[in-house]
Amino acid sequence: LGTLPAFAAGDAAAGKAVFAKRCASCHGDAGEGKESIAKMLKVEMRPLGSKEVQAKSDADLKKDTLSGTGKMKAVTGIDAQGSDDLIAYLRTLKK
């Protein structure tokens, strides 16, 4: 796996742990999106490494995470550092 790149605001390695705990149950271990969840919610779940998702600003990704977007509920139990770490990890998924 090697080392994850460093980002100004967050720690991608710590963000991976946040992702595994709070996000992977719907978004999949590698951010690919779980088809069963997408079908249940009747939504298209874009891979988190896709151009559409990666084109969002860090602030927009953080807002989507902490406030929810579409049928995605807000993610609870993440502090400011945890959300910075999570965004840093999401950036490592870029295709």
Side-chain angles (χ1 to χ4, degrees):
L1 182 69
T3 58
L4 296 171
F7 292 82
D11 176 350
K16 185 174 185 177
V18 173
F19 183 87
K21 188 174 183 182
R22 299 283 182 192
C23 313
S25 61
C26 294
H27 286 285
D29 293 334
E32 71 280 8
K34 288 194 175 176
E35 193 62 35
S36 58
I37 301 290
K39 281 183 180 172
M40 183 180 74
L41 294 175
K42 296 183 174 82
V43 297
E44 177 189 349
M45 194 180 295
R46 289 190 180 89
L48 297 176
S50 69
K51 284 181 186 168
E52 297 88 352
V53 174
Q54 291 293 324
K56 292 185 173 202
S57 69
D58 289 357
D60 284 342
L61 287 172
K62 193 180 289 193
K63 181 179 177 285
D64 290 350
T65 302
L66 299 177
S67 301
T69 180
K71 292 189 178 178
M72 182 183 130
K73 291 185 176 13
V75 180
T76 58
I78 299 179
D79 62 12
Q81 185 60 54
S83 64
D84 286 344
D85 295 345
L86 178 61
I87 300 310
Y89 174 68
L90 292 179
R91 294 301 184 199
T92 71
L93 301 176
K94 188 173 184 176
K95 299 286 182 249

